[in-house]
Amino acid sequence: MLKYFFILTSCCIIPVLIVNAIPQTSGCFKDGKYYQDGSNFQPRPCEHCSCNQGNVSCTVAECLVTLCVDPINDPNMCCPVCPNGRNCLARDRIIPAGRKVYLNEHTICQCPDRISLDMTVLVATCYQTVDSLPIHKVVGK
């Protein structure tokens, strides 16, 4: 049976999966590898395990949505990271959070500078202008 609990950290809520192996008398097996009783080990970057009295207990970190359109996956890191900070997309152009960018002489786009719950789609808000006055809103163009 799988059991979950949650850890609240300064940046996020991490769901934790506890996995118990078949009890052993002098150690534990996990993914075909033997671990001594009392040992701590990390089979994967997001997984921390310990062997106690023949039982393997593991915590698995779940990654949150990255707040950028250009995340990278570092094999030594648990979750993808945003090397250029928070950003979003305007047509084919990446815009840093909070910055206004002119795509052409009549189109201004801006990436939100605040994190909100609806930031799952990282698309800039763009406006068409005439003589520097906004006339209508065009999302994602």
Side-chain angles (χ1 to χ4, degrees):
M1 180 172 154
L2 299 177
K3 294 182 182 180
Y4 287 91
F5 67 93
F6 297 90
I7 298 173
L8 177 62
T9 66
S10 61
C11 73
C12 49
I13 297 173
I14 301 174
V16 177
L17 169 65
I18 300 176
V19 181
N20 292 318
I22 297 171
Q24 305 289 323
T25 55
S26 61
C28 305
F29 283 93
K30 168 101 171 98
D31 298 330
K33 291 180 92 177
Y34 175 78
Y35 297 94
Q36 294 230 343
D37 195 54
S39 66
N40 295 311
F41 54 98
Q42 190 173 354
R44 288 173 281 288
C46 292
E47 186 175 25
H48 296 274
C49 301
S50 62
C51 174
N52 291 305
Q53 299 178 351
N55 292 311
V56 174
S57 295
C58 296
T59 59
V60 179
E62 294 290 330
C63 299
L64 299 176
V65 173
T66 55
L67 296 176
C68 64
V69 295
D70 58 348
I72 61 168
N73 292 309
D74 181 336
N76 297 316
M77 300 284 291
C78 179
C79 299
V81 294
C82 296
N84 301 307
R86 285 189 302 115
N87 58 42
C88 64
L89 203 57
R91 293 188 184 155
D92 59 349
R93 195 164 168 193
I94 296 174
I95 299 176
R99 190 170 298 166
K100 286 184 181 179
V101 173
Y102 289 84
L103 294 184
N104 58 44
E105 60 191 46
H106 298 290
T107 307
I108 302 171
C109 295
Q110 183 172 10
C111 186
D113 60 352
R114 294 190 177 163
I115 298 172
S116 65
L117 294 176
D118 63 347
M119 283 192 70
T120 55
V121 178
L122 300 171
V123 177
T125 300
C126 296
Y127 296 92
Q128 297 292 320
T129 62
V130 173
D131 299 325
S132 301
L133 297 173
I135 57 171
H136 68 280
K137 182 177 180 179
V138 180
V139 178
K141 291 191 176 186

